[in-house]
Amino acid sequence: MSIKHSLLALLQESPRYGYQLRGEFEERTGSTWPLNIGQVYTTLDRLERDSLVEKDGDDGEGHLIYSITDAGRAEVMSWFAQPVAATNPPRNELAIKLALALTLADVDVSAVVQAQRSASMKLLQDYTRQRRAAATNAGTQLNGDPGAGDANDAAWLLVLDSLIFTTEAELRWLDHCEGWMAKRAATAAKSTTTAPVAAPSQKFAPADQAVSK
């Protein structure tokens, strides 16, 4: 997640101070990825260092206001224009866990899969309930077409859709893993049962040593 560009996008709308930026970000994304206020101010310091934002006085209540510069506007518009690079995918803890479990003799991989499936299914149900509520708030029509409700509710709806699709994909992948491991186990068992049995060795005396009667 690019905190840098997220803050620039919000500052492009209007100048804000750190706590406002954090609150706006969490409201628009449904608090799915909560920000630490320390992260916000550290990022603002870096943005100021890079001349992408500048201090714009305070609001009279001790809050330091930041505004975006022309260079910052160009940076955030470039971010929106470019696709998200997937050349360096983030570490997937579940994939790492299953990969390691498969290589360790004392780990029940099937149990790991089942535990994750139960947790992911519960999460999917929770996201689905939240989506129904968000769809109502966003004014979504009965046929699924988007309405003209609050923009923040509509944004949260899109985030929920992403979470739902991601969780559904995880469940499909777990099904794939379970099926693949079952086939692997069956292949290994078949190889064991069909392995050729070595014929008992026989020793024959050379012809010139045969005993004549």
Side-chain angles (χ1 to χ4, degrees), residues 35-177:
L35 292 180
N36 181 287
I37 192 61
Q39 286 180 296
V40 173
Y41 279 108
T42 298
T43 304
L44 286 171
D45 287 342
R46 292 173 181 167
L47 291 173
E48 184 183 19
R49 179 200 63 193
D50 296 337
S51 300
L52 299 177
V53 304
E54 59 187 8
K55 293 185 176 72
D56 199 13
D58 62 57
D59 63 351
E61 297 181 2
H63 299 123
L64 188 59
I65 302 296
Y66 290 84
S67 61
I68 194 169
T69 64
D70 289 340
R73 291 181 187 279
E75 175 72 21
V76 75
M77 293 311 294
S78 175
W79 178 60
F80 279 122
Q82 298 297 321
V84 176
T87 52
N88 295 309
R91 290 186 180 91
N92 185 317
E93 184 178 352
L94 177 57
I96 293 171
K97 181 189 289 189
L98 287 182
L100 291 175
L102 193 62
T103 64
L104 299 173
D106 57 346
V107 177
D108 186 346
V109 188
S110 295
V112 175
V113 171
Q114 289 298 332
Q116 187 64 46
R117 180 185 284 110
S118 297
S120 298
M121 185 61 71
K122 184 177 181 299
L123 192 60
L124 180 60
Q125 292 168 349
D126 185 47
Y127 287 150
T128 302
R129 283 193 296 270
Q130 292 183 61
R131 191 194 185 285
R132 282 197 293 267
T136 300
N137 293 334
T140 300
Q141 307 300 315
L142 292 177
N143 62 1
D145 291 338
D150 184 78
N152 286 350
D153 289 325
W156 173 221
L157 186 61
L158 290 181
V159 171
L160 281 169
D161 282 340
S162 173
L163 295 172
I164 288 171
F165 294 154
T166 300
T167 308
E168 288 176 339
E170 181 175 279
L171 286 166
R172 289 195 298 272
W173 180 69
L174 288 170
D175 289 340
H176 164 77
C177 289

Side-chain angles (χ1 to χ4, degrees), residues 191-207:
S191 298
T192 301
T193 57
T194 59
V197 179
S201 59
Q202 297 182 9
K203 295 183 178 180
F204 296 95

